[in-house]
Every structure is written in structure tokens, then in C-alpha cells.
Amino acid sequence: MLRAFSVLVLSALLGTFAMAATTSGPAPGFTLKSREGKDVSLASLKGQVVLLNFWATWCGPCREEMPHLEALYEKYKSLGFTLVAVNVENNPDGAKKWLADNGPVTFPVLLDTKNDVSKLYKVETMPSTVVIAKDGTMRFVHHGYKTGYEGDYQNEVRQLLRE
């Protein structure tokens, strides 16, 4: 019984550490419509540090982290940082309503109604966050959200802004 409990605790700890990972390689390019109906491409953001956050309105942790993302965006946007939220729901009306009711959210929100971009980034967990360096390479990936992850995002953004 104690051995089974120890294995369970160890698995949980290892799973927690696996939630954020360092990565490398070019961030896959894409163009999506914004909630205002304008095309936004990842290529147009090259030269900035980009935090790409995949989310959905039905995802509790996604909703919980949204104010933290807004605060991060407001703090660093003037320094060469942008945050792009990619909503993965088939019908964008729910996301637009949720944002209107729970805002303000001033960073770009893109609509991946066919899940093409989430597939491109192999998103399997909501939310998923990719931090991209100024040169367009993926540097950090986070799966899921727990209170405190916003501190990790901030540290990573600050690190990449200094590069």
C-alpha cells in the first residue's frame, strides 16, 4: 500500500514538472481572423516576444488565467512583447460574448474555428501556452494552468526581451 502511494505521489510530482518545458525550433506560421475580423499572421509579429495562448470558454483554468494574461500584456507590450490568444472553439460567438462580459482583454484574440493552428502546435491540453522568441523560435511550452504559472510566463518573457 505504501509503495503504491509512493508511486502515485512521484508520478504526480513528475507530471507537475512536465507541465512546462523548454523547446526549440521555428514556431509554425499561420494566419487567423481576429475577433474583429482582421487577418493576423504570426510572421507579422517577428521581432517581438510572443506569448501564444490556446484557450476555450468551457475551460475553467483558461478563464482563470485570462486576467493574469491581460496584466502581463499591459506590463510588457511597450517593450516588444505581444500576447496572442487563440480561441479553439468552432463557433466564435461564445468566445466573443465571454470576452465582452468578462473583459477587458486588450490583446489580440484570434479564432481557430477549424482547429488548424491548434493541430499545427499539437495542442492537447487547455490552456496551452507557447512562448516565442524575437527570432521566431519556440522557447517555452506550458500545458495547463495552475495559479502561479503567470510568474513563469513573466520570467520567460523578461528573459527573451533581454536577448
Side-chain angles (χ1 to χ4, degrees), residues 4-17:
F5 178 73
S6 298
V7 169
L8 178 64
V9 169
L10 182 60
S11 296
L13 286 173
L14 290 175
T16 300
F17 291 124

Side-chain angles (χ1 to χ4, degrees), residues 79-145:
L79 301 175
F81 167 72
T82 195
L83 194 150
V84 178
V86 178
N87 182 269
V88 300
E89 296 169 82
N90 296 336
N91 183 346
D93 294 337
K96 290 176 184 178
K97 180 177 180 350
W98 189 88
L99 290 165
D101 293 346
N102 296 282
V105 172
T106 60
F107 51 80
V109 176
L110 308 182
L111 307 171
D112 188 16
T113 58
K114 295 180 183 173
N115 291 307
D116 292 333
V117 176
S118 59
K119 288 176 190 169
L120 193 61
Y121 280 81
K122 299 179 175 91
V123 172
E124 296 179 3
T125 305
M126 285 289 120
S128 285
T129 303
V130 180
V131 186
I132 302 169
K134 295 175 191 176
D135 65 0
T137 57
M138 296 184 294
R139 294 290 291 279
F140 302 97
V141 178
H142 299 265
H143 303 285
Y145 172 77

